[in-house]
Amino acid sequence: MTISNDDIWQYLEEVKDPEIPGISLVELGVITSVDVSTESEVTIGLTPTFSGCPAINYMKDDIVETLQKRG
């Protein structure tokens, strides 16, 4: 199965903001880029809404978990 950038963007819609659970990180605009290098390597650009955001590690972990569930 080949995974495209569009697939990853769609999967990331499932990742919700930890402080505003009704909004995805994509909708919030903190996901800035997606690059599928290989089927097992994806780079996600993530820019928090402010520097020092206390939820950044939670967001990263949620992104990784969501993408791993999708294979």
Side-chain angles (χ1 to χ4, degrees), residues 13 19 52 59 62 64 69:
E13 288 287 347
E19 296 174 344
M59 288 187 270
D62 202 13
V64 169
K69 282 192 291 187

Side-chain angles (χ1 to χ4, degrees), residues 36-64:
V36 178
S37 301
T38 66
E39 284 196 36
S40 62
E41 186 174 321
V42 176
T43 303
I44 307 295
L46 177 65
T47 304
T49 53
F50 64 95
S51 75
C53 176
I56 192 71
N57 288 329
Y58 175 84
M59 288 187 270
K60 288 178 184 179
D61 292 344
D62 202 13
I63 289 168
V64 169

